[in-house]
């Protein structure tokens, strides 16, 4: 009798998929919510926005309910127009995705394959490795800046990334700021990087947290360079600063030719109707966005200080999470925190087993988090 188990099917999958492991979403939140009544669970493991979306986005969804039997606009034209106006680009430079995760995966599939390299930093966003492996391409993982680096420990080493590009390299993935480290690089470093990257290599800048970076922190966006470098593109998302993770909408900005090639692979109705309408409405509520980002920056700073005061190393961050070193106590602390209904993200899968990634919550969540940490570390 053949056992039609995972191993049997994996042996029949294409080589890239044989080596792949599924994305690790962390804890089983549905089970945890059932165990702790929802009000008792402090969910700080997935970098969600505690302030939620603009009320205009909720209303837009309600206004769509009469049309659920209709397919959405396959082109997402209204949302693209709004995004184009916001970013000063042409609608033909925009590709919409079911989350930016989908777009990052598609980029690997479209531009890389067996025998070709994809370059990204160690501790870079997890999807970069998934996208490369799914495409059957080779991962070139470049060492990050060391933990002892005075300014940006664990940050992308842009010089080392440039140095590891070869004539087999098809794609480079950067994240600025990066998840799970929270680290970032500035405009000058990025300009120097782009000037050295061969024009045949496509550079992907994942800017999932761009809206949350302080104006004076100098976290570079690829946006001002798009016109000079057709091989450069950026991805953004409505999941983080806009508080719409549940809708799954992300977008890519790049050269019209690049977007046209990606369109060949895009599933025709990848973004649903209520999501299109809600994101368009969210873009119209700048005050809500700014308010959420300001509160996040305030809480990020307060939480970082409070954790540092407890003797924990907190890495610099321009996002809505902080990477925190718990040392040899990490696994025990994490387990004890979950037992108390405080969910953080373990970092063993990223090769940082002595760290936890903590999403910056609102005042109440951060207070409960700190109380739990005090109890657990006692
Ligand atoms: C959260 C995140 C994303 C994407 O999220 P989607 O919800 O798929 O849009 C992309 N990149 C980074 C670095 C992230 O942290």
């Amino acid at each position: 009798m053949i056992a039609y188990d995972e191993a049997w099917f994996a042996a029949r999958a294409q080589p890239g998929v044989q080596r792949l492991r599924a994305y690790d979403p962390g804890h089983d939140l549905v089970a945890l919510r059932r165990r702790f009544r929802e009000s008792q669970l402090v969910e700080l493991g997935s970098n969600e926005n505690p302030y939620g979306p603009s009320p205009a986005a909720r209303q837009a969804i309600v206004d769509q309910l009469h049309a659920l039997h209709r397919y959405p606009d396959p082109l997402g034209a209204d949302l693209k127009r709004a995004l184009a106006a916001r970013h000063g680009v042409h609608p033909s430079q925009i590709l919409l995705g079911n989350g930016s995760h989908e777009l990052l995966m598609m980029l690997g599939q479209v531009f890389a394959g067996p025998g070709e390299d994809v370059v990204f930093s160690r501790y870079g966003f997890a999807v970069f490795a998934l996208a490369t492996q799914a495409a059957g391409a080779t991962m070139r993982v470049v060492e990050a800046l060391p933990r002892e680096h005075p300014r940006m420990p664990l940050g992308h080493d842009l010089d080392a990334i440039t140095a590891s590009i070869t004539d087999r390299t098809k794609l480079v993935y950067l994240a600025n700021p990066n998840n799970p480290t929270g680290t970032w690089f500035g405009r000058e470093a990025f300009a120097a990087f782009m000037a050295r990257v061969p024009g045949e290599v496509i550079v992907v800048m994942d800017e999932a947290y761009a809206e949350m970076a302080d104006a004076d922190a100098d976290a570079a966006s690829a946006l001002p360079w798009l016109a000079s470098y057709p091989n450069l593109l950026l991805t953004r998302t409505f999941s983080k600063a806009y508080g719409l993770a549940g809708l799954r909408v992300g977008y890519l900005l790049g050269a019209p030719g690049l977007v046209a090639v990606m369109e060949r692979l895009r599933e025709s109705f990848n973004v649903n109707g209520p999501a299109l309408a809600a994101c368009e409405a969210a873009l119209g509520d700048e005050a809500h966005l700014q308010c959420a980002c300001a509160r996040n920056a305030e809480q990020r700073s307060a939480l970082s200080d409070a954790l540092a005061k407890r003797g924990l190393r907190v890495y610099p961050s321009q996002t809505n999470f902080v990477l925190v070193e718990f040392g040899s106590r990490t696994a025990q602390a994490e387990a004890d925190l979950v037992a108390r209904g405080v969910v953080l993200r373990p970092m063993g899968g990223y090769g940082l087993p002595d760290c936890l990634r903590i999403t910056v919550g609102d005042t109440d969540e951060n207070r409960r988090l700190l109380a739990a940490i005090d109890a657990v570390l006692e």
Side-chain angles (χ1 to χ4, degrees), residues 47 99-101 104 125 175 179 206 208-209 237 239-240 248-250:
N47 302 342
S100 52
H101 189 141
L104 295 167
F125 186 44
N179 173 15
D206 176 348
Y209 300 94
T237 181
S239 299
K240 306 284 162 58
R248 314 299 308 123
V249 185

Side-chain angles (χ1 to χ4, degrees), residues 152 184-187 213-220 300 317-318:
M152 204 53 68
W184 67 100
F185 48 83
R187 284 176 271 267
D214 296 338
D216 59 3
D218 186 30
R300 178 175 68 214
S317 169
Q318 285 295 319

Side-chain angles (χ1 to χ4, degrees), residues 23 46-47 97-104 124-128 174-180 206-209 235-240 244-246 248-251 319-321 350 357:
Y23 177 78
S46 298
N47 302 342
N98 195 256
S100 52
H101 189 141
E102 179 185 46
L103 299 173
L104 295 167
F125 186 44
V127 171
F128 303 163
L174 308 173
N176 204 36
N178 181 49
N179 173 15
D206 176 348
E207 301 187 2
Y209 300 94
T235 60
R236 295 221 179 165
T237 181
F238 284 93
S239 299
K240 306 284 162 58
L244 287 167
R248 314 299 308 123
V249 185
Y251 58 98
T319 63
N320 67 342
F321 61 85
Y350 272 97
R357 193 192 65 194

Side-chain angles (χ1 to χ4, degrees), residues 66-271:
H66 69 283
L68 292 181
H69 60 301
R70 299 287 181 204
Y71 279 105
D73 173 7
L75 303 175
D78 289 341
L79 178 56
K80 280 189 192 168
R81 250 192 304 278
L83 284 167
R86 178 181 186 87
H87 293 303
V89 299
H90 192 267
S92 64
Q93 294 181 261
I94 303 174
L95 184 75
L96 301 177
N98 195 256
S100 52
H101 189 141
E102 179 185 46
L103 299 173
L104 295 167
M105 293 298 290
M106 272 173 66
L107 282 160
Q109 208 181 338
V110 170
F111 292 109
E116 298 173 329
D117 287 359
V118 177
V119 172
F120 51 88
S121 176
R122 188 170 308 283
Y123 317 126
F125 186 44
V127 171
F128 303 163
L130 285 180
T132 306
Q133 290 174 287
T138 305
M139 300 190 279
R140 291 272 167 250
V141 183
V142 178
E143 272 317 314
L145 295 173
R147 287 193 188 217
E148 308 76 43
H149 193 276
R151 217 171 22 79
M152 204 53 68
L154 304 183
H156 285 11
D157 184 341
L158 292 180
D159 290 336
I161 290 174
T162 335
S164 65
I165 293 173
T166 69
D167 47 14
R168 283 193 308 277
T169 305
K170 302 298 294 283
L171 271 180
V172 176
Y173 285 109
L174 308 173
N176 204 36
N178 181 49
N179 173 15
T181 55
T183 50
W184 67 100
F185 48 83
R187 284 176 271 267
E188 202 175 310
F190 183 62
F193 172 80
M194 283 310 301
R196 290 175 60 194
V197 172
E200 309 85 67
V201 175
I202 292 174
V203 177
V204 180
M205 181 91 127
D206 176 348
E207 301 187 2
Y209 300 94
E211 299 89 352
M212 294 175 181
D214 296 338
D216 59 3
D218 186 30
S221 166
L223 195 58
W225 280 275
L226 289 184
S228 334
Y229 294 106
N231 59 322
L232 173 65
L233 65 98
L234 64 89
T235 60
R236 295 221 179 165
T237 181
F238 284 93
S239 299
K240 306 284 162 58
Y242 287 96
L244 287 167
L247 287 186
R248 314 299 308 123
V249 185
Y251 58 98
L252 173 159
L253 304 182
L258 170 116
V259 171
V261 170
M262 300 275 296
E263 281 286 359
R264 299 178 190 183
L265 199 69
R266 182 182 66 86
E267 198 203 308
S268 29
F269 301 104
N270 62 333
V271 183

